[in-house]
Amino acid sequence: MGTVRKTITLTDQQDNWIKAHINAGHYTNDSECIRDLIRREQERSLEMEAIRTALIEGEASGEPKRFDAEAFKQKMMAVHG
């Protein structure tokens, strides 16, 4: 995988936050910290998309049906003892 060099601008507060995480031993340098933040955001975006898809599928599945907890318990007891 290739790499691309970027120049970014941060506020003092953002820079201090990164420095604090480096000083605490969470990261060895600025680039590692920023790459980790990007990876986390990519994962979060994928999770959010999966949730959106599940919600759309749920809405498209039709009207909800009443859940009978007692009947469910009896069925599970019959199947699993």
Side-chain angles (χ1 to χ4, degrees):
M1 180 183 310
T3 60
V4 177
R5 188 172 187 88
K6 296 276 184 185
T7 301
I8 63 169
T9 304
L10 303 171
T11 65
D12 289 337
Q13 180 185 16
Q14 292 166 334
D15 186 49
N16 290 334
W17 186 87
I18 291 172
K19 286 177 183 175
H21 279 76
I22 292 169
N23 291 337
H26 300 295
Y27 303 101
T28 58
N29 58 48
D30 295 15
S31 293
E32 184 182 334
C33 179
I34 292 169
R35 284 192 304 270
D36 184 50
L37 292 172
I38 292 169
R39 278 191 296 274
R40 289 178 191 212
E41 177 58 21
Q42 289 171 327
E43 290 171 3
R44 190 189 72 78
S45 293
L46 289 174
E47 291 169 356
M48 292 299 295
E49 188 56 37
I51 292 169
R52 283 188 190 97
T53 300
L55 287 170
I56 291 168
E57 288 175 6
E59 289 174 346
S61 69
E63 290 297 316
K65 296 177 184 165
R66 187 165 202 87
F67 180 74
D68 184 344
E70 192 57 41
F72 177 77
K73 288 178 191 176
Q74 290 175 3
K75 181 179 177 183
M76 291 298 107
M77 288 299 289
V79 171
H80 301 287

